[in-house]
Each structure stands twice: as structure tokens, then as C-alpha cells.
Amino acid sequence: MKKDFLALSNYSKEEILSLLALAAELKEQKRRREPHPLLAGKTLGMIFEKSSTRTRVSFEVGMYDLGGSALFLSGSDLQLGRGEPLEDTARVLSRYLDGIMIRTFAQEKVETLAKWSSIPVINGLTDYSHPCQIIADLLTIQEHKGRLAGQTLCYIGDGNNVANSLIVGAIKTGMDVRVACPASHQPDAEIMAWAKKNGVFECGENVLEMAEGADVLYTDVWASMGQEAEAAARRKIFAGYQINARVLDAAMRDAIVLHDLPAHKGEEITVEAFEANAGTIFDEAENRLHAHKAIMVHLMR
Ligand code: CP
Ligand code: NVA
């Protein structure tokens, strides 16, 4: 049966760790400039209904690295944008391609596409989740901290798509997770209940309390794609949910800072905190490439 990559909740700890191992191996092969055409002759279609820099470029370059090719399909240029059903789009694309990556709004759309496709479907971000991002994040934590299990990760800001997937990925790999966010903007309730049952998880409103002794600090934008109209209101709601000097002081001295990017410096992170941690943040961005290659090899080989 074909496999998809729709949410980390469908992946076991072992599968996540094997994706990380594969990503590390592919990264090393690329560093050594060793050819690794594991998907020679295969084609990935990339449907984007939202903007992207990292996801688009890394999937496309990743596919070239693996000996295949990638097609950028703008949601508004496809007949999908004019109302052609996803069910039909899925069946048509399955006749041309070997895999589909889609970035869209509702998680249900990704699930419908996967249900009607005979080829693997990869979730490149929805309003609910961003699982590809988290494979890159875990790889970055592993590289910088040497291990995942037992590390304390503190996410600060909006309980959004990135937070939802991060909680699942971090808990599954044995990290302790804390989320600092306003009570009105917590991560998905089911995910939080699952996290409490399956690991060490805490969610609170006090940023410094949550950041105390953390090994990894993570933040994301206050207003996600599709929430542009709420940006001003969100600036008020999230004021203070920021990675800054005080938060860095509360965390471990050797804590690393991650941001999935794009960043709104001065909002969720200060310019100083961002620049002081730019090395790790751009390693994280680079790791999108290696993570996506591992995901594609896992699904499409
Ligand atoms: N972090 C991330 O997904 O970046 P893009 O929106 O640029 O793809
Ligand atoms: N939460 C952000 C992540 C961007 C990569 C958004 O959905 O816009």
C-alpha cells in the first residue's frame, strides 16, 4: 500500500528516528558531493495554495539531488482553483506523477487528496500542521544537542500549525515539551491531551516560567498565512510572547534557539536574539532540504 506523510501522529517513534537517520546520511552524501540518485526518473508535483520560500526550493532542489524532477503547481493556476474537485485532481495527477506535495489551508484537503491519489502525498503545511518542518527541526536539535530524548523544548507564541506538529514530534522522540502562549491561543486540545498522556507536557501563560531551564527555545510568527487581517489584533494578544534577552537568561546557558522562518523580528523574537542564534536558525532552514529528501525517499523509492 502507498504511504503518505500527512501528520506526525501517523508516524511511530521508530519511523521518525529512521527518517532522521536517513536525512543525516543524505546530508553527509551531499556534503561529500557523492551522487545519490535514489529517485532517478521520478517526478514530484508541488501544489501551493500559500506562499513559500523554504518548502518550495528545498523540495525542488531535493528532487534534483535525488535524480528526479519537480513541478511547481500554483493552486490558482490549476483547474483546482476554478473548482475542479480534489478527488478528480488527485486521480489525474496520479497518472502523471510519482508523488505530490501540497501546501494548503484545511488539513482535510490534504487528507482528501491522499485518499483519492494512488501515489504518496506529502503535507507541506496546512492551518493545522507542518510535519515536514518538524523533521528538519528534530534533525537540527539532534545535531546541536547530540540527542533528543531528555531535552526540554519550550515553544513560545501562537499555538498554531507549527506548534501542533512540534509537540507531536518532540513528545514522540522523548523530549519534554512546554508551551508558553495566551490561554486563548493554545495548540490543538486533542494534541495537548495526547501529549500529557504520552510524555512530559505543560502549557502555560507565563513565558519565563515555561522557558526556565529549557535546552531548546522555539518560536513562530504571531500571524500565520491566512491570518493577515488579524495581524494588528494579534500583535496585542501576543505582546510579550517573545524570545528576548530575559527569556534567553531563563533558559539553559547552552540553549539553542530555533525558528521555522520567515521571522517577524521585533515581534516573536528580538533582532538581537535572532542574530545571536542565526547559525542554528539557518542550519534549521538548511535541514529542510535533507529532511524533505529523506521523506521523499521513504515514500517514493
Ligand atoms: N518554514 C517554512 O515552511 O518556510 P516557507 O513558508 O518559506 O516554505
Ligand atoms: N505558522 C506559519 C508557518 C510558516 C512556515 C504559517 O502558517 O504561516
Side-chain angles (χ1 to χ4, degrees):
M1 216 180 82
K2 65 124 178 173
K3 284 181 282 189
D4 300 301
F5 188 74
L6 307 185
L8 291 178
S9 51
N10 306 327
Y11 273 66
S12 67
K13 174 184 181 169
E14 291 65 37
E15 282 174 306
I16 293 172
L17 294 179
S18 88
L19 281 177
L20 293 174
L22 180 56
E25 196 183 314
L26 293 167
K27 181 171 184 173
E28 185 54 23
Q29 281 181 316
K30 176 143 175 134
R31 196 188 62 78
R32 290 207 210 112
R33 297 182 179 273
E34 278 170 22
H36 42 283
L38 300 171
L39 297 179
K42 304 227 167 169
T43 307
L44 178 80
M46 310 187 297
I47 304 176
F48 282 94
E49 296 191 322
K50 288 174 175 171
S51 307
S52 172
T53 297
R54 282 143 288 269
T55 306
R56 183 207 166 154
V57 177
S58 58
F59 267 104
E60 194 162 333
V61 170
M63 213 41 199
Y64 290 126
D65 282 356
L66 293 166
S69 50
L71 288 179
F72 173 75
L73 305 166
S74 153
S76 55
D77 294 336
L78 292 171
Q79 294 288 9
L80 188 63
R82 292 181 54 248
E84 182 169 15
L86 262 178
E87 294 86 324
D88 297 353
T89 305
R91 284 177 284 184
V92 170
L93 294 182
S94 295
R95 302 288 179 112
Y96 303 137
L97 303 166
D98 301 288
I100 304 173
M101 194 287 302
I102 178 167
R103 166 168 288 196
T104 186
F105 294 86
Q107 178 80 13
E108 294 71 38
K109 284 178 95 171
V110 173
E111 278 157 15
T112 304
L113 187 73
K115 183 177 160 198
W116 289 89
S117 298
S118 56
I119 54 176
V121 171
I122 299 170
N123 174 359
L125 178 145
T126 67
D127 293 342
Y128 172 74
S129 63
H130 196 4
C132 290
Q133 175 71 50
I134 303 321
I135 300 300
D137 299 340
L138 295 175
L139 181 63
T140 313
I141 297 169
Q142 205 169 55
E143 288 172 350
H144 283 265
K145 307 299 290 180
R147 67 197 167 95
L148 296 169
Q151 301 283 330
T152 299
L153 178 146
C154 173
Y155 174 91
I156 298 167
D158 187 17
N160 60 14
N161 44 9
V162 169
N164 285 337
S165 294
L166 186 64
I167 294 169
V168 178
I171 292 284
K172 285 208 176 193
T173 53
M175 301 180 77
D176 293 359
V177 180
R178 302 190 203 138
V179 173
C181 65
S184 55
H185 289 75
Q186 292 185 341
D188 180 76
E190 273 180 32
I191 288 180
M192 290 202 294
W194 171 88
K196 280 182 196 145
K197 229 173 110 183
N198 290 279
V200 181
F201 177 81
E202 215 182 323
C203 179
E205 289 190 279
N206 189 313
V207 178
L208 292 180
E209 226 173 85
M210 290 296 125
E212 185 70 41
D215 301 298
V216 182
L217 295 169
Y218 195 122
T219 190
D220 184 22
V221 289
W222 291 343
S224 285
M225 290 180 276
Q227 298 173 332
E228 288 77 10
E230 296 170 31
R234 283 175 164 267
R235 273 195 283 278
K236 290 200 185 102
I237 296 168
F238 289 104
Y241 288 92
Q242 181 188 61
I243 296 184
N244 52 34
R246 271 160 37 116
V247 172
L248 291 172
D249 275 349
M252 295 298 275
R253 278 168 72 105
D254 62 352
I256 61 164
V257 172
L258 298 180
H259 193 309
D260 52 292
L261 303 175
H264 284 200
K265 293 173 220 173
E267 294 190 6
E268 75 277 2
I269 188 165
T270 59
V271 176
E272 296 74 20
F274 184 94
E275 293 305 335
N277 292 282
T280 323
I281 293 170
F282 292 107
D283 280 351
E284 178 188 9
E286 178 194 326
N287 281 339
R288 298 294 302 282
L289 171 66
H290 313 299
H292 298 167
K293 285 166 70 176
I295 293 166
M296 291 191 287
V297 169
H298 175 69
L299 298 177
M300 294 167 62
R301 201 179 178 187

